[in-house]
Amino acid sequence: MERALLVGINLNNGDDYELSLEELGSLANACDMEVVGVVEQNLAEIHKAFYIGTGKVEEVREEAEAQNVDVVVFDNSLSPMQIRNLQERIGKPILDRSTLILDIFAGRARSGEAKLQVEAARLQYMLPRLVGLHAALSRQGGGSGSMSNKGAGEKKLELDRRVLEHRLAECRKELKELGAQRLTQRKQRAASGMTRAALVGYTNAGKSTLMNAMLDLYGVEEIDVEEKKVMEKDMLFATLDTTVRKIAPEGHHAFLLSDTVGFIHKLPHHLVEAFHSTLEEAKEADILLQVIDYSDSHYKEQIAVTERTLKELGAEGIPMLYLYNKADKVSPEEIPGSPGAENGGPGKALPVVTQDSIYLSAREKIGMEELICLMEKKLAGGYRECTLLIPYTDGRAVSYLNENAVVGSTEYREDGVLMKVSCKIKDCRYYEKYLV
């Protein structure tokens, strides 16, 4: 296990800085590093050449030697010049926050698409940072003009850059093709008429656990629920692949639920860009379910990070519910509107529902029914009660409504099937010729 020294600067961001530095330690641990020390500095602005002040660079060098560290990790994305300068002054390998996140993503990617997305992000990040990686080799000689003037180091840089650019172009081409396939799949799901809900939120907030709880309770009978479950684990970025599952609660509208990649503070922009086609599931949803780890003291900052990222994706303005997960880990007094401690400690007073939020526990499957009711209430404006008399010649309409609407009653008459349903307004309009 590598020994790591963390370095962070506080640009007067208060709790935002503390959260970021705490997460950096978790990211380092996820990369199998042991954090043996932290160096901090308050600055008005980032130093262009070294990220931290020149005096602090010397302090970091001394601390790195004293702690016998293998690597120094900075809590921000560093420029190629900053990496080169810091390595020369400190004499240790320098990593930044983006590198750690990319390493974690590379280790967690399972599907072919996720692996391509991570590879594209890594290549895009590496390209401008090639300069200085071959400092041990000779550099370009004097003069200008032909390639014959270039030293071994320069030739190596050019060769590496060409290889990386070629592979990056290949990754982008393959991702574009996969993106087209995803678009086709989304169009098919939209044509089905079912509500599309997307789980969004901070990494390790419990999105995958919630997805699996829904599958356990309301999974479609004809599928193998265990096979359709997603991986859930108490770690950063446990799942990277977006999955879509049909949830069919009895007495409620069936809907499609997607589990998207989690967000984190200072998520590298090129990583968001690489995962754009995957994250489109959130942008195309009818309702967003923001899963929040209510037991985390930084949950408010995590909500802000999630909403900033959604805005970057163009997903703002979509109806959203706030799911305060892991509420069973806190005392009832900490839950607004809770009946209180007389019910017997954490979790006993759950679930608690307000207008746009619910306090629940996905792991204990507490609040799932209430969540579905809250979703339907939030989307109530998009549904209508209809009575339809469908002729026997249109069996497809009967089948569609049985699958995509809540059927109150069905009566078989001589002139057709009389159905009382709650369905989407657009479905009611589509079948208006059968309205009675």
Side-chain angles (χ1 to χ4, degrees):
M1 180 178 287
E2 289 186 310
R3 293 167 61 84
L5 176 67
L6 307 186
V7 181
I9 63 172
N10 185 2
L11 298 172
N12 300 316
N13 290 331
D15 292 340
D16 199 40
Y17 162 73
E18 293 177 9
L19 169 63
S20 182
L21 197 59
E22 184 180 314
E23 284 180 354
L24 185 67
S26 297
L27 290 169
N29 292 333
C31 289
D32 202 28
M33 296 177 183
E34 178 189 2
V35 178
V36 296
V38 179
V39 176
E40 303 178 54
Q41 184 177 27
N42 294 318
L43 279 180
E45 58 183 20
I46 292 172
H47 193 287
K48 290 183 179 179
F50 293 99
Y51 178 68
I52 53 177
T54 52
K56 188 63 69 171
V57 173
E58 182 62 23
E59 182 183 329
V60 171
R61 186 189 68 79
E62 292 174 357
E63 184 68 14
E65 289 182 358
Q67 296 288 351
N68 191 28
V69 303
D70 301 296
V71 63
V72 179
V73 185
F74 283 75
D75 188 26
N76 213 330
S77 292
L78 300 176
S79 70
M81 178 182 67
Q82 287 169 342
I83 292 175
R84 183 176 63 249
N85 292 342
L86 287 165
Q87 283 186 164
E88 288 176 356
R89 288 286 187 93
I90 296 172
K92 298 284 184 181
I94 303 297
L95 297 180
D96 61 12
R97 186 185 186 90
S98 294
T99 305
L100 291 187
I101 293 175
L102 287 169
D103 284 348
I104 294 170
F105 270 54
R108 305 276 161 80
R110 293 291 177 267
S111 71
E113 183 179 18
K115 290 177 181 177
L116 273 174
Q117 289 168 326
V118 174
E119 184 179 0
R122 290 182 71 135
L123 291 171
Q124 187 176 337
Y125 183 75
M126 286 171 61
L127 268 172
R129 290 164 174 78
L130 284 175
V131 178
L133 294 179
H134 304 284
L137 301 176
S138 63
R139 302 298 296 166
Q140 180 175 326
S144 60
S146 69
M147 287 291 289
S148 62
N149 271 339
K150 297 194 174 186
E154 192 68 18
K155 290 177 183 177
K156 178 66 174 172
L157 287 171
E158 290 296 328
L159 181 61
D160 283 355
R161 184 176 287 109
R162 200 174 300 121
V163 169
L164 292 187
E165 286 175 345
H166 178 69
R167 179 56 189 156
L168 180 57
E170 288 181 335
C171 287
R172 285 174 172 167
K173 182 181 177 182
E174 291 181 55
L175 285 172
K176 188 175 181 180
E177 292 171 356
L178 289 170
Q181 293 175 19
R182 277 195 172 275
L183 180 60
T184 301
Q185 291 170 352
R186 281 198 297 272
K187 285 181 178 178
Q188 290 173 344
R189 288 195 287 268
S192 74
M194 278 192 287
T195 296
R196 291 170 293 171
L199 296 168
V200 297
Y202 223 69
T203 180
N204 207 29
K207 297 183 297 300
S208 298
T209 304
L210 184 62
M211 166 74 88
N212 289 340
M214 285 285 187
L215 282 170
D216 270 337
L217 295 172
Y218 312 117
V220 182
E221 289 182 5
E222 57 265 27
I223 69 169
D224 184 342
V225 170
E226 291 302 319
E227 185 180 319
K228 291 294 183 180
K229 282 186 176 181
V230 295
M231 188 183 87
E232 57 178 271
K233 199 169 183 180
D234 186 14
M235 62 166 62
L236 300 178
F237 304 113
T239 53
L240 300 183
D241 301 307
T242 293
T243 54
V244 181
R245 300 288 184 261
K246 181 178 178 181
I247 307 298
E250 187 176 349
H252 298 277
H253 295 277
F255 61 93
L256 296 172
L257 183 64
S258 60
D259 177 22
T260 60
V261 64
F263 305 137
I264 197 171
H265 194 67
K266 300 178 186 175
L267 187 65
H269 178 73
H270 46 273
L271 200 53
V272 175
E273 187 178 285
F275 275 76
H276 200 272
S277 66
T278 305
L279 293 168
E280 285 285 334
E281 295 291 346
K283 188 177 175 181
E284 298 295 326
D286 297 303
I287 186 169
L288 297 177
L289 307 178
Q290 185 178 164
V291 183
I292 302 150
D293 181 355
Y294 191 56
S295 67
D296 193 306
S297 59
H298 297 293
Y299 77 90
K300 290 182 180 178
E301 290 91 338
Q302 294 174 358
I303 292 173
V305 169
T306 297
E307 295 187 346
R308 278 201 304 269
T309 309
L310 288 171
K311 188 174 182 180
E312 285 180 25
L313 293 168
E316 77 272 27
I318 298 173
M320 182 185 291
L321 293 177
Y322 296 87
L323 282 53
Y324 292 94
N325 189 31
K326 306 183 186 180
D328 55 317
K329 294 184 177 181
V330 304
S331 64
E333 292 89 345
E334 297 178 60
I335 301 175
S338 170
E342 66 273 7
N343 287 310
K348 299 300 182 181
L350 296 178
V352 174
V353 182
T354 63
Q355 184 176 354
D356 290 316
S357 62
I358 179 171
Y359 295 80
L360 49 75
S361 171
R363 183 168 297 281
E364 301 300 327
K365 299 184 178 67
I366 300 173
M368 301 299 105
E369 174 73 18
E370 290 79 3
L371 170 58
I372 289 169
C373 292
L374 189 60
M375 287 172 60
E376 292 190 338
K377 184 178 179 181
K378 185 75 173 178
L379 295 169
Y383 292 94
R384 180 173 295 172
E385 302 289 331
C386 302
T387 301
L388 308 166
L389 182 59
I390 304 171
Y392 290 111
T393 54
D394 195 355
R396 181 177 294 181
V398 175
S399 177
Y400 175 85
L401 291 170
N402 276 323
E403 187 163 339
N404 297 290
V406 175
V407 180
S409 64
T410 302
E411 182 182 344
Y412 292 91
R413 296 184 172 185
E414 290 185 5
D415 50 350
V417 183
L418 185 69
M419 300 181 71
K420 292 183 178 181
V421 301
S422 170
C423 62
K424 282 192 170 184
I425 289 176
K426 69 173 185 177
D427 289 336
C428 190
R429 289 173 180 164
Y430 186 79
Y431 295 113
E432 63 182 351
K433 60 185 176 182
Y434 300 142
L435 285 172
V436 293

